[in-house]
Amino acid sequence: MKLSRPARRASLVVHVAASASWLGLTLGLLALAVTASTTGSAVTAGASVRAMKLFADWLLLPLAFLTLLSGVLLSVGTPWGLFRHRWVAAKFWLTLAATAATALALRPGLDSAVADLAADTAAGGPPPGPGDLLPGPVVSLSAYLFMTVVSVLKPWGLTRRGRNHRTASRAPAPASASTAASASAPAAAGHAGDTR
């Protein structure tokens, strides 16, 4: 599958915009987690955790899936290929892992934090500690920054599949038997007609 130039450019714009939005949203979640963990105010902590949950419920997964799908489209629709270059494969697996972690760990963790915060607030307990909210945004932010660096530097070269594809595309196509016979027929006819 080869994307046309306009389709490739549109896909690239969507991918970069979704990726940058995912990165920015993660920075926002980190700021909210730090605020919730360091404030002495239960009201501020509660507002921060509820904002984190709101962003996670409405924005995180759509941006994660849009980043993943547009990245796959770009890789299979361009010469980069999905598994031809190590940096593309690394980005694919990291994006897939980050999307799964968002769906299976971060969002349920925020649901639990909101429930715990409501119970603690009703009982007059302390705001959540940094161990409750910080790990998800910190790990996510590290992964996204790493993927950004990999996208710019494009390290590590070709995979085995990429080397095989490059070798196959550079090798001359073997002539078929019918092509060889038709190419030699005019020469034979020319020699047969030569009776000098």
Side-chain angles (χ1 to χ4, degrees), residues 105-149:
L106 182 64
R107 288 183 68 215
L110 285 173
D111 291 341
S112 174
V114 168
D116 292 346
L117 185 65
D120 289 344
T121 302
D132 298 334
L133 299 173
L134 286 177
V138 167
V139 169
S140 297
L141 184 61
S142 301
Y144 306 147
L145 288 175
F146 176 76
M147 287 188 275
T148 301
V149 170

Side-chain angles (χ1 to χ4, degrees), residues 50-91:
R50 282 190 292 280
M52 287 179 73
K53 181 175 174 3
L54 182 70
F55 288 142
D57 286 347
W58 290 98
L59 295 175
L60 263 180
L61 275 181
L63 286 172
F65 283 119
L66 187 58
T67 301
L68 181 64
L69 293 176
S70 61
V72 169
L73 178 65
L74 275 171
S75 61
V76 298
T78 63
W80 290 110
L82 188 56
F83 295 111
R84 290 184 196 158
H85 294 81
R86 287 188 177 96
W87 71 271
V88 177
K91 276 188 62 179

Side-chain angles (χ1 to χ4, degrees), residues 22-32 141:
W22 200 10
L23 178 64
L25 183 58
T26 303
L27 280 170
L29 289 175
L30 181 60
L32 288 168
L141 184 61

Side-chain angles (χ1 to χ4, degrees), residues 167-180:
T167 303
S169 66
R170 287 185 179 170
S176 65
S178 62
T179 306

